[in-house]
């Protein structure tokens, strides 16, 4: 479970984020000003900060700098300003990503997961093991029963996105957002095509899946077919 600090002066947005994050299994803390937010960064030691750039007391860019002076916590900036200079300044100041207002909560949580994964991955060289499948993030390679798989970039990204949530059904929309960076306008077909390529490389088919289970109308999950307690429900 991740702890998220929300620094936002608009009570409606703040409450919506706090409630929504809690519903999605995060622990959410809130602060209404830049100074209170900085104190919370130091006091609560959150896993990630969601920072509104338009705060009443301190300019958002300054808040980023103050947080960065004290902590390496990932920061996602929330801004109503849909302009490149603001984004570039925020990223240059030390933010990791940004979300534009108005936003949907699932966009925000997808960004949070992506940023947390990126920052955690950067600090870890441990491969992910799922049955006989071994996925090395650091070298972007994967082996199946010791044999190196030849995966194209998107195939590897797709496998990694599923492996990071092994056993969990991941929606095609989430995969489009994270692997292809196209949450809206992306086609499920893109995911299906890469999935079938990935299946072929894993030596399985949609009719007889082993690692990659499609859950109709919901998404895909990576499972360990060698696990004793694994029973396919469909
Ligand atoms: Ca504001």
């Amino acid at each position: 479970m991740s702890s998220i600090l929300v620094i936002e002066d608009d009570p409606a947005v703040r409450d919506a984020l706090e409630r929504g994050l809690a519903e999605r299994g995060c622990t959410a803390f809130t602060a209404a000003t830049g100074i209170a937010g900085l104190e919370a960064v130091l006091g609560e030691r959150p896993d990630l900060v969601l920072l509104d750039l338009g705060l009443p007391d301190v300019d958002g860019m300054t808040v980023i700098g103050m947080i960065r002076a004290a902590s390496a916590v990932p920061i996602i900036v929330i801004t109503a300003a849909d302009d490149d200079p603001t984004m570039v300044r925020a990223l240059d100041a030390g933010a990791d990503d940004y979300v534009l207002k108005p936003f949907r909560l699932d966009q925000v949580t997808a960004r949070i997961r992506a940023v947390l994964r990126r920052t955690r991955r950067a600090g870890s060289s441990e491969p992910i093991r799922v049955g006989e499948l071994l996925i090395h993030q650091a070298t972007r390679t994967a082996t199946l029963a010791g044999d190196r798989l030849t995966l194209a970039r998107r195939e590897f990204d797709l496998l990694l996105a599923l492996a990071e949530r092994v056993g969990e059904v991941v929606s095609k929309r989430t995969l489009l957002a994270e692997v292809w960076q196209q949450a809206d306008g992306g086609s499920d077909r893109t995911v299906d095509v890469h999935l079938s390529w990935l299946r072929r490389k894993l030596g399985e088919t949609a009719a007889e899946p082993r690692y990659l289970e499609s859950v109709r109308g919901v998404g895909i999950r990576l499972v360990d077919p060698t696990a004793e307690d694994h029973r396919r429900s469909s």
Side-chain angles (χ1 to χ4, degrees):
M1 188 194 304
S2 303
S3 65
I4 313 292
L5 171 64
V6 179
I7 308 176
E8 164 66 80
D9 60 317
D10 182 331
V13 178
R14 194 171 63 229
D15 292 350
L17 282 170
E18 183 179 22
R19 203 170 44 241
L21 290 170
E23 280 168 8
R24 284 158 179 79
C26 298
T27 308
F29 308 97
T30 62
T33 63
I35 295 302
L38 186 63
E39 284 170 359
V41 167
L42 301 173
E44 308 285 357
R45 305 232 155 244
D47 295 321
L48 185 142
V49 175
L50 277 180
L51 172 68
D52 174 33
L53 283 186
L55 294 169
D57 59 336
V58 190
D59 172 71
M61 300 299 169
T62 309
V63 178
I64 298 173
M66 288 161 74
I67 293 174
R68 274 290 160 269
S71 165
V73 64
I75 302 170
I76 298 178
V77 158
I78 303 171
T79 174
D82 186 5
D83 62 81
D84 284 344
T86 303
M87 307 309 166
V88 172
R89 278 181 65 213
L91 296 172
D92 279 349
D96 296 273
D97 205 346
Y98 58 84
V99 177
L100 289 178
K101 282 183 185 174
F103 51 77
R104 291 195 319 268
L105 202 63
D106 51 1
Q107 284 178 315
V108 178
T109 50
R111 292 289 172 89
I112 289 175
R113 278 197 303 267
V115 167
L116 284 177
R117 263 206 313 281
R118 212 160 67 209
T119 49
R120 280 172 187 164
R121 201 184 293 163
S124 158
S125 56
E126 283 285 292
I128 301 174
R129 176 184 288 280
V130 184
E132 293 185 306
L133 190 59
L134 216 53
I135 299 142
H136 304 263
Q137 301 104 298
T139 54
R140 296 182 52 83
T141 56
T143 58
L144 181 61
D147 292 332
R148 170 84 172 263
L149 298 170
T150 307
L151 300 176
R153 182 165 73 93
R154 298 291 197 198
E155 292 165 3
F156 181 84
D157 290 342
L158 177 60
L159 182 61
L160 182 59
L162 294 168
E164 282 166 334
R165 310 170 174 84
V166 65
E168 192 183 317
V169 181
V170 186
S171 73
K172 289 179 185 174
R173 201 166 98 202
T174 299
L175 292 169
L176 279 168
E178 293 194 8
V179 178
W180 286 270
Q181 282 87 45
Q182 43 184 237
D184 305 304
S187 162
D188 284 3
R189 183 85 190 113
T190 306
V191 180
D192 292 339
V193 167
H194 284 78
L195 193 63
S196 75
W197 290 337
L198 192 53
R199 278 212 163 103
R200 197 178 309 163
K201 291 180 180 178
L202 292 176
E204 62 182 63
T205 62
E208 285 185 61
R210 292 186 71 229
Y211 284 93
L212 295 165
E213 270 192 6
S214 288
V215 180
R216 191 173 289 277
V218 186
I220 303 120
R221 72 175 153 205
L222 185 69
V223 297
D224 177 0
T226 66
E228 290 270 313
D229 61 350
H230 179 66
R231 296 281 180 276
R232 203 158 283 130
S233 53
S234 55

